[in-house]
Amino acid sequence: MALLGHSLAAYISVLDKDRLRKLTTRILSDTTLWLCRLFRYENGSAYYHEDDREGLLKVCRLVIHSRYEDYTTEGFNVLYKKQPVIYMSAASRPELGQYLCNQLGLPLSCLCRVPCNTMFGSQHQMDVASLDRILKEDIKLGKSPLLLVANAGTPAAGHTDKLARLKELCDENNMWLHVEGVNLAMLALGHVSSSVLAATKCDSMTLTLGPWLGLPAVPAVTLYRHEDPALSLAAGLTTSQPVEKLRALPLWLSLQYLGHSGIVERIKHASQLSQRLLENLKDLPSIKTSVEHDGNSPVVVFKFFYEGSGSDSTVNLSTIERESDAMNQWLGEQLAALIPSCGVDIVELEDEGLCVRFNPMMTSAVLGTATQDIDQLVECVKVKIPIIQNTLQLKEEFRLEVERVAGLSYVVDYSWAGLGVLRYEHISEEVDLGKREAELEKINALLLKKLNELESDLCFSSGPEFGAEKHCIYIGVATEDLDVSELVETIAVMGREIEENSRLLENMTEVVRKGILEAEEQLQKANEERLLEEGVLRQIPLVGSVLNWLSPVQATPKGRTFNLTAGSLESTETTYVSKAQVTGTSPPPTPTLGHAKRHPGQRLFKRLSRNSDAMSETSSISHLEEVENLEAAPTPEPQPSIPTDLSTPSVESHSEESHEAEALDTNTVESESLR
């Protein structure tokens, strides 16, 4: 219906002027009346706009026109005599104030950010006492308080300012009060908290119905109260062009399609989703929530809180906070990827740091979030909490192990949500720094590739794309049964193998190059010797063929073969004589990474559980019993051989053979028992 409204608006715009004027007036008045009744805003007018900031901009122009009577004729000169000031909370959108100043042609000195509470109340609410003090100071300086932007649901945490007290301050100082935020949607419900209900007394408010109701391409609405239509027309809040009034047509159709019950049901469903998530999160350990005390906000903000940080005095508190921020960012990314229908995102709060935010009022209608999605989200959080705790507990052990092992260096990166970061330090005699960096990058890249080929539960990567550290190996989150010492030792061994193989390849390349040069010199000498032996006549094409037919020359082909194992140049005469290529010595075995003996189903870098230890102990005992039984078994007697010849030498020779066979059998039994 919303998309149909756009096509109908294009069609209606070509009607004759009288029919167009009547139709647009009816659509605009109906939509405004419905919205004012739905959100309890009496005697209000409406302005429909695409950009949700545009309504506040038009309201600011309305206030300037009403406050400065000569603004239309004198312009900026009137503002210069008595500077206007726009006040907004520090928790508001950061780009909103600069946008207003740029569009109004005002300097940034006309913008004042009011701090939030620090001692009492929510830390995301505007500090009313500070605002009162700032207003008095500005009035003494000859400034003119123009407008206050308050929040009924801050953009980050969803908290509501003390709107009733702020309205009193605005009335005392002849200042306009504008309210925005997701909590304004609660005005459509039957039961509304007093903190949100106070928004109905404000001078203007902005509603973003598209995300709230899941309607695509519908405009935002700014409801306002003002008695002078001429000033509203001058500010751009009203228009005489019928085509511009058709902006309300998609919303007019959608509101009728949903009906009052449908609108209330969608808003109520979003509120119930947030309450369900909040109730389940309160029972989870190591999870801290940041919500309003009255619990009326549909926004739920939570974060992982490391409980072990208070008992560990050796670790810096700022370090723990930065590591917790990294883990909360990882948690938010995991939840968003695993359960996309919930629409969670990551938000940074001034005091709490990075947190995970669930704002169903802006996402549930579009994504179709259901109750079972919330249950899956809670279960996913339960699974991720032990992983985060184990990773934070093993970080220090990992750092100590890396610093202990030679050839590895520990890289400090608090923004990485994982076990840690390390680098294999390549020992190079190269003087050129660029070549040394290239060798280091090559070895660490090969090491990372081999680590990812291992069958383990760990995740190895090269880190963030635009990270500060280069040529490093980033290790992901860890589980409780991770063997850190085995992990670090394996990385060090694999790094040394790659480095040795790289050196061997470089040396072999040089040896092969020298061997080729030497072979060319020897073959050239051999050709010269053959030329002297055969004579010049045999080299002439026709004469040489006749001489070779009359008097063939029996010459053995002479060539050179390069032995890669010995690194030496050899003749091919033996190859032509024996009709096979003979290798002198066998190449040395390729070094391989030796892992400890593992039980079936046991993955790399995993400690054995108690059951596995018991199985290992039982198998070792049974193995010892088998060895003892083999040692206790009687040695079989060798059968005497009957000689065919009864002569004395034969008897002596056969007796010696029997003694040797007996000795061999005895050695075999002993070796079997030892095995």
Side-chain angles (χ1 to χ4, degrees), residues 433-452:
L433 183 60
K435 292 183 179 180
R436 191 185 306 173
E437 287 287 333
E439 292 178 0
L440 180 64
E441 180 182 3
K442 180 180 178 181
I443 290 178
N444 281 279
L446 291 174
L447 179 58
L448 177 61
K449 182 180 179 181
K450 292 190 68 175
L451 288 172
N452 284 321

Side-chain angles (χ1 to χ4, degrees), residues 638-653:
Q639 296 294 331
S641 59
I642 301 176
T644 55
D645 189 0
L646 297 178
S647 61
T648 304
S650 299
V651 172
E652 290 178 356
S653 61

Side-chain angles (χ1 to χ4, degrees), residues 390-522:
N390 296 326
T391 303
L392 292 176
Q393 291 172 0
L394 294 174
K395 269 182 172 289
E396 184 65 17
E397 181 183 353
F398 175 76
R399 183 184 66 81
L400 296 176
E401 286 291 333
V402 172
E403 293 176 350
R404 180 185 61 84
V405 176
L408 299 179
S409 62
Y410 182 79
V411 179
V412 179
D413 190 352
Y414 297 113
S415 63
W416 175 247
L419 189 61
V421 186
L422 59 84
R423 180 189 295 114
Y424 183 81
E425 297 295 344
H426 172 55
I427 302 175
S428 176
E429 299 177 356
E430 183 64 44
V431 180
D432 189 0
L433 183 60
K435 292 183 179 180
R436 191 185 306 173
E437 287 287 333
E439 292 178 0
L440 180 64
E441 180 182 3
K442 180 180 178 181
I443 290 178
N444 281 279
L446 291 174
L447 179 58
L448 177 61
K449 182 180 179 181
K450 292 190 68 175
L451 288 172
N452 284 321
E453 292 174 356
L454 298 177
E455 295 182 358
S456 66
D457 295 332
L458 290 174
C459 178
F460 303 94
S461 67
S462 57
E465 183 178 358
F466 301 102
E469 300 294 338
K470 296 181 180 179
H471 317 321
C472 297
I473 296 176
Y474 288 74
I475 304 175
V477 294
T479 54
E480 183 181 4
D481 54 352
L482 176 66
D483 193 340
V484 178
S485 59
E486 181 187 355
L487 169 64
V488 176
E489 189 66 30
T490 302
I491 295 175
V493 172
M494 294 176 70
R496 285 193 290 267
E497 288 183 2
I498 294 173
E499 185 177 5
E500 291 173 1
N501 293 337
S502 177
R503 289 179 179 176
L504 179 62
L505 183 60
E506 292 177 359
N507 296 335
M508 186 177 295
T509 303
E510 183 66 21
V511 171
V512 170
R513 188 181 65 82
K514 292 181 179 179
I516 291 173
L517 295 177
E518 184 181 353
E520 290 178 350
E521 294 177 358
Q522 292 183 10

